Amino acid sequence: MPASLKTSWPSDNPGRRFYGCILGRSGCTFFDWYDPPMCARAKVLIPGLQRKINGLEKQVEEMQREMQRKMQKEIQREMQMEMEMQKEKLMEIHSEMLRKMQKRQNFFVYVTVVSVLMVLFMLFG
């Protein structure tokens, strides 16, 4: 069965790579170091650097979430403004349609009155 290259993270061998069974601990007991042993200084520095990296990655994730929230708020604000503009345009169109309908209604009344007057003039005239 083939072995896989893995990385050790316990404090005694941080970041040191090794070959192990692909089934993990439930498989066979094959184990062999790929990297040479680490010096004492590396065993101290690497975990500290790893914690620092993890902290920075967490900060980046938090900043990304905050950026997303801010972008969503900005998009919502822009959409609200656009909706207000569209609402104003619709109100203008509605007002114009009402004016035109009123003109047509006035014209219809005018034509009706003139027609009635002409009929009356012809009958009694």
Side-chain angles (χ1 to χ4, degrees), residues 5-121:
L5 186 61
K6 302 175 182 183
T7 304
S8 171
W9 287 112
S11 60
D12 56 339
N13 285 298
R16 190 172 176 198
R17 295 174 295 172
F18 65 93
Y19 288 108
C21 181
I22 60 171
L23 299 175
R25 293 182 182 191
S26 64
C28 67
T29 59
F30 175 76
F31 175 87
D32 190 24
W33 287 111
Y34 175 81
D35 292 330
M38 302 181 102
C39 67
R41 181 166 166 77
K43 289 181 181 182
V44 172
L45 289 176
I46 290 175
L49 292 172
Q50 188 63 44
R51 282 190 298 275
K52 193 171 193 173
I53 288 170
N54 291 342
L56 291 171
E57 286 175 344
K58 186 176 179 180
Q59 283 181 339
V60 167
E61 289 173 5
E62 289 171 3
M63 291 171 79
Q64 286 174 335
R65 281 193 297 272
E66 183 62 27
M67 282 274 274
Q68 274 186 322
R69 281 192 292 272
K70 286 181 179 182
M71 288 174 62
Q72 287 174 344
K73 285 182 181 179
E74 180 64 22
I75 289 169
Q76 287 174 345
R77 189 182 67 77
E78 288 176 7
M79 288 177 68
Q80 185 67 31
M81 288 174 55
E82 182 66 25
M83 286 173 52
E84 290 297 324
M85 288 173 37
Q86 294 298 328
K87 184 179 176 181
E88 287 176 17
K89 286 180 184 179
L90 284 172
M91 294 300 285
E92 289 174 12
I93 291 169
H94 184 259
S95 296
E96 182 64 25
M97 287 176 63
L98 286 176
R99 280 192 297 276
K100 287 180 180 181
M101 287 175 59
Q102 187 64 40
K103 283 182 180 180
R104 286 185 184 145
Q105 189 176 16
N106 290 346
F107 179 75
F108 178 74
V109 169
Y110 174 76
V111 168
T112 303
V113 168
V114 169
S115 298
V116 167
L117 288 174
M118 286 178 63
V119 167
L120 288 174
F121 181 74

